[in-house]
Amino acid sequence: MEDTFFKDLNAAQREAVATTEGPLLVLAGAGTGKTRVITYRIANLLRRGVRPESILAVTFTNKASREMKERVHKLTGGKEKGMTISTFHSLGVRILRVEHAAIGYRPGFSITDSSDQLSLARTILRDIRGGAAPVEPKAVLAAISRAKNKFILPEDVLESASDDLEHLLAECYQRYQSGLRDRNCVDFDDLILLPVICLQKHEEIALKYKRQFRYVLVDEYQDTNSAQYQFLRCLVSPERNLCVVGDDDQSIYGFRGAEMDKILGFERDFPGARVVKLEENYRSTAAILNLANAVIANNLSRRKKTLRSTLGEGAKVRWVTLSDEAAEVDFVIQGLVRLTEAEQAPLENLVILIRAAIQARAFEEKLRLRHIPYTLVGGQSYFDRKEIRDVLAYWKVASNPADDLSLLRILNVPRRGFGTVTIQKIDAVARAKKFSFLEAMAAVADREGEFSESVRTACAHLRDLFSRARERLERREFSVMARELILEANYKEAVTDLYTDPLVRQARWASVEQVFLWVERWHNLNPSGEFSDYLEALALDQEESRQDKGEKRRGLTVMTLHSAKGLEFPHVFLVGVEEDLLPHRRSAAEGDSGIEEERRLFYVGITRARQSLTITQAGTRFLYGEPRPRQPSRFLEEVFATGLLEREIPSPGAPANEDDVREFLGEYRRLRQK
């Protein structure tokens, strides 16, 4: 029985799965089967009689969480029902929904989006300085986010402030948190920060969760920031049954606050921890892995590990130097055409990896001119469209009438005649009576203060609009409320004003209609859920999708190295491997730590390739309006002497033959139809 369960695991994987008690660090190199280890470990805990409710598995993205749930379900046959597989932020929401009162929040709080955060920051800066402030609202929000990720509270920032700018940022941070709380709102970073504050301040609450979650598993541990680390410390039981899985060599999110020290210092934080290394790679050929090993060996801040291929030697990695950026683009496109023709394989097998988003432009232009289908991972999220944000703002106010940020967003959408002076006067009523903005509008409609009849009428309209919406929510008529609120608000008029082109207008309104359908589908799937649960799910998906990779790809993929982490492709073109691009000049300016993170980024790019890897570099590149000479990346120079790279400097040639491209595309479409 035991042998049957472990038969699909190698020796290191088996050790990690069988070690169920005490702290465990699994160092899982790229392509070594870390998800298999996590899912088998969960199954093994269940086999040993651990109750599903006692197991918590934490991931970083919705995509990773979904995949883990599917694999655990398939492996256990449904025996995992009752266990928690969640992202950090979803777990934070779950705890806040139960424990909100302990930190001064009311039920039904909203998760604010980036545009509302920006609006609040602007208001705070205006209130503090009156006129122009020496810092932009976005910079204020970035500073606040960095502080929250490091688990630094407003009072800590104020205490350590040493100049006028730091004092200003500290004051903004304090007012920002107070503003969110007054509106019964939280931002995305608060979903980690506030649960930690709650658990640290209230021992009895922390003890409740420690008793519940006796076994905690964490994926991608190298990406944790200080706040997430504190969150885990608050949840781990006295038995310290904590298993973390990660790879310090793939720690590339320092700009998001990730601290590699957490994985390097695991044994310091959890004395007696066991360490298991996964080094057998099931993804890439030996030629690719040998280069990856040679590259990352130049980093000093790492745990030594060496990836070994189970797939044989494979083709040597190519390093190709082209005369300029245009030649690089042509070379790569010709290369992908030849690869696809030779293997009769779809374009989806290929990826162009770039360090900076600006590199995509030249490739996009040529791919479009030659009608080669491609997917650029990134771009505007569906939820970033103005009409979707507006609709969600209406729904947020219906669910949480104290959400002033959302109300102010749609106050004049469509136009209702609320000018700046009128808004300030209503806000004064709200402050004087300690009302929400909507309550202040209701008071104005009932003859409070000195306002024109047109303003009182507009206030009464919104008061009644949201009153009807609340009644429908109380009757659990969610889809009716969602549609009728937007129609009764005459929002279609706002879409008409915003988009003059009839076809664009029609497409944008169709997007709104689509969101109505989402509510209906969600309610059918979650008949006992609250409407606030739906808004919460959307907010989490909206924010976490920024970290998720595009799952539905059409044709060739063009993506940044940061977006590629966690993915793999048979054939990879890693382009622009030059000084000031990789390593990027901003990171190089940070010294050794910046260079080491860039080297890890290069390592991540290399290990995305399964069968072939081509690295390109241009001799000159257009920068700041003129061609500038480029130098190969120091990372290439470091490993060239090993003989692991096949260096090529092609003579300048003609661009890709258009007849060949047309023939290739015809064959590609034929293959796709199969």
Side-chain angles (χ1 to χ4, degrees):
M1 182 72 176
E2 195 77 10
D3 290 338
T4 301
F5 178 77
F6 287 105
K7 67 181 177 63
D8 293 328
L9 304 176
N10 63 38
Q13 290 173 337
R14 193 175 300 124
E15 181 183 358
V17 169
T19 305
T20 58
E21 307 303 307
L24 171 68
L25 168 61
V26 180
L27 289 169
T32 57
K34 71 178 178 65
T35 307
R36 174 181 289 264
V37 164
I38 293 173
T39 53
Y40 267 78
R41 196 168 189 277
I42 292 169
N44 193 38
L45 287 170
L46 295 172
R47 289 170 73 247
R48 292 168 63 91
V50 175
R51 294 171 56 249
E53 295 81 2
S54 299
I55 303 173
L56 167 65
V58 186
T59 68
F60 274 83
T61 67
N62 284 324
K63 177 173 177 278
S65 180
R66 286 193 300 269
E67 288 179 353
M68 191 180 294
K69 287 175 183 175
E70 290 167 3
R71 292 177 69 163
V72 169
H73 182 77
K74 186 175 180 181
L75 191 59
T76 65
K79 293 178 182 177
E80 83 289 354
K81 188 175 181 181
M83 75 166 286
T84 301
I85 299 178
S86 169
T87 65
F88 274 100
H89 294 91
S90 295
L91 180 63
V93 170
R94 171 177 164 175
I95 291 175
L96 285 177
R97 290 294 178 203
V98 177
E99 316 296 350
H100 54 82
I103 51 170
Y105 271 83
R106 302 185 296 282
F109 60 80
S110 300
I111 303 172
T112 190
D113 62 23
S114 56
S115 64
D116 289 338
Q117 290 175 258
L118 198 59
S119 175
L120 180 56
R122 286 196 188 101
T123 300
I124 290 167
L125 283 170
R126 186 178 64 243
D127 289 347
I128 292 175
R129 288 299 177 104
V135 62
E136 290 293 317
K138 285 186 178 179
V140 169
L141 291 175
I144 292 171
S145 181
R146 283 194 299 271
K148 289 184 178 183
N149 287 334
K150 291 179 180 293
F151 196 66
I152 300 174
L153 304 180
E155 54 268 28
D156 300 325
V157 177
L158 188 60
E159 186 177 329
S160 63
S162 58
D163 57 34
D164 288 346
L165 179 58
E166 290 182 0
H167 275 283
L168 174 63
L169 291 173
E171 179 71 12
C172 287
Y173 187 6
Q174 284 190 316
R175 294 195 183 201
Y176 176 80
Q177 286 304 97
S178 296
L180 288 178
R181 182 175 280 103
D182 290 346
R183 295 162 174 83
N184 208 30
C185 292
V186 299
D187 67 16
F188 200 58
D189 293 322
D190 283 334
L191 301 181
I192 308 296
L193 183 80
L194 295 180
V196 176
I197 291 173
C198 176
L199 295 171
Q200 288 185 347
K201 284 188 175 180
H202 300 277
E203 188 177 343
E204 72 284 0
I205 295 177
L207 188 58
K208 177 175 71 172
Y209 290 101
K210 286 179 179 180
R211 285 172 175 162
Q212 178 182 349
F213 299 128
R214 291 182 49 238
Y215 293 86
V216 179
L217 301 91
V218 186
D219 191 14
E220 302 287 6
Y221 188 66
Q222 77 281 349
D223 293 336
T224 51
N225 59 39
S226 288
Q228 290 161 338
Y229 170 78
Q230 293 294 338
F231 198 8
L232 291 171
R233 293 300 296 250
C234 290
L235 294 171
V236 173
S237 69
E239 294 88 354
R240 303 187 308 152
N241 294 329
L242 171 66
C243 170
V244 302
V245 183
D247 182 7
D248 52 299
D249 289 334
Q250 296 187 74
S251 180
I252 60 172
Y253 293 124
F255 66 96
R256 290 183 187 164
E259 297 178 6
M260 195 174 69
D261 176 63
K262 297 298 181 287
I263 192 168
L264 295 179
F266 185 78
E267 293 142 293
R268 173 199 66 216
D269 297 335
F270 298 92
R274 192 165 183 173
V275 179
V276 176
K277 294 182 182 180
L278 304 185
E279 298 173 294
E280 266 189 87
N281 177 286
Y282 298 90
R283 175 191 297 164
S284 307
T285 63
I288 292 168
L289 293 184
N290 290 340
L291 176 64
N293 289 329
V295 165
I296 205 63
N298 289 291
N299 270 6
L300 299 178
S301 301
R302 66 183 294 262
R303 289 173 175 267
K304 187 176 179 182
K305 67 186 85 66
T306 303
L307 297 180
R308 302 182 300 272
S309 176
T310 60
L311 302 179
E313 185 61 29
K316 194 176 255 190
V317 176
R318 300 168 70 195
W319 168 17
V320 185
T321 300
L322 288 308
S323 58
D324 55 30
E325 187 175 24
E328 180 185 50
V329 171
D330 276 338
F331 173 83
V332 170
I333 291 177
Q334 289 181 54
L336 71 90
V337 167
R338 291 194 187 104
L339 263 174
T340 311
E341 285 179 332
E343 296 194 2
Q344 295 290 288
L347 277 173
E348 284 78 3
N349 278 10
L350 297 104
V351 65
I352 299 173
L353 296 181
I354 56 179
R355 171 61 181 89
I358 195 171
Q359 292 173 263
R361 294 179 185 175
F363 286 99
E364 283 197 274
E365 181 183 358
K366 283 291 176 71
L367 291 167
R368 289 186 181 201
L369 282 173
R370 293 174 178 174
H371 306 291
I372 296 177
Y374 72 95
T375 297
L376 177 65
V377 175
Q380 187 187 43
S381 163
Y382 183 83
F383 293 99
D384 287 335
R385 296 181 180 185
K386 183 184 185 307
E387 62 274 14
I388 304 302
R389 285 184 179 274
D390 288 345
V391 168
L392 291 179
Y394 272 104
W395 293 349
K396 285 179 182 180
V397 177
S399 179
N400 174 19
D403 188 347
D404 293 351
L405 294 173
S406 294
L407 178 58
L408 289 169
R409 175 185 178 88
I410 49 86
L411 200 59
N412 278 312
V413 186
R415 288 173 289 195
R416 298 188 177 96
F418 289 104
T420 303
V421 174
T422 299
I423 292 172
Q424 289 173 348
K425 286 175 65 178
I426 298 173
D427 187 51
V429 173
R431 290 171 185 265
K433 294 187 172 290
K434 296 185 178 178
F435 283 172
S436 70
F437 201 87
L438 186 58
E439 288 172 326
M441 292 181 75
V444 170
D446 291 335
R447 320 309 294 180
E448 178 74 32
E450 296 182 5
F451 292 89
S452 68
E453 285 305 313
S454 61
V455 169
R456 295 192 195 280
T457 300
C459 286
H461 167 69
L462 284 173
R463 175 200 62 194
D464 296 343
L465 182 73
F466 287 110
S467 177
R468 289 193 296 274
R470 291 290 297 173
E471 289 171 2
R472 286 165 177 152
L473 286 181
E474 288 168 6
R475 294 195 298 267
R476 302 185 61 78
E477 298 172 352
F478 297 162
S479 57
V480 173
M481 185 286 298
R483 178 181 294 274
E484 293 304 314
L485 175 58
I486 302 306
L487 296 179
E488 290 173 7
N490 298 319
Y491 183 72
K492 197 167 187 178
E493 178 185 317
V495 174
T496 301
D497 288 344
L498 194 61
Y499 304 107
T500 54
D501 186 309
L503 292 176
V504 174
R505 187 187 303 148
Q506 182 180 354
R508 294 291 182 164
W509 183 252
S511 297
V512 174
E513 294 277 1
Q514 183 67 38
V515 188
F516 294 159
L517 292 176
W518 289 354
V519 177
E520 187 174 344
R521 290 172 189 158
W522 177 86
H523 197 201
N524 288 337
L525 290 171
N526 302 274
S528 61
E530 297 297 330
F531 190 70
S532 58
D533 297 334
Y534 171 71
L535 293 176
E536 173 188 302
L538 278 186
L540 288 171
D541 189 64
Q542 176 184 354
E543 290 294 336
E544 290 173 2
S545 65
R546 300 178 194 279
Q547 301 172 32
D548 283 350
K549 318 307 185 296
E551 294 182 57
K552 295 181 180 178
R553 294 190 293 269
R554 171 181 171 270
L556 169 77
T557 302
V558 182
M559 63 167 44
T560 63
L561 286 165
H562 284 100
S563 297
K565 184 169 172 289
L567 301 178
E568 58 184 72
F569 297 84
H571 306 288
V572 171
F573 287 82
L574 180 46
V575 304
V577 185
E578 306 154 11
E579 285 295 297
D580 294 340
L581 263 181
L582 188 64
H584 198 280
R585 65 178 180 277
R586 285 197 302 269
S587 298
E590 296 172 4
D592 291 344
S593 64
I595 292 296
E596 291 211 348
E597 179 151 333
E598 290 289 300
R599 193 179 280 113
R600 292 193 293 271
L601 194 56
F602 185 38
Y603 171 85
V604 166
I606 293 169
T607 53
R608 298 313 93 196
R610 285 165 26 200
Q611 298 172 29
S612 77
L613 171 63
T614 302
I615 296 169
T616 67
Q617 164 243 330
T620 63
R621 194 175 293 274
F622 238 80
L623 293 170
Y624 313 112
E626 60 182 45
R628 294 175 181 253
R630 309 292 291 169
Q631 295 299 317
S633 169
R634 70 189 73 184
F635 303 148
L636 293 172
E637 301 288 0
E638 287 170 354
V639 297
F640 183 58
T642 62
L644 297 171
L645 286 165
E646 187 175 85
R647 184 81 188 269
E648 300 176 32
I649 306 178
S651 58
N657 184 286
E658 295 300 328
D659 290 336
D660 289 345
V661 173
R662 276 193 290 272
E663 183 180 341
F664 154 71
L665 285 170
E667 181 66 15
Y668 169 76
R669 293 188 186 99
R670 185 183 67 77
L671 286 168
R672 289 286 287 167
Q673 287 168 358
K674 286 185 177 180

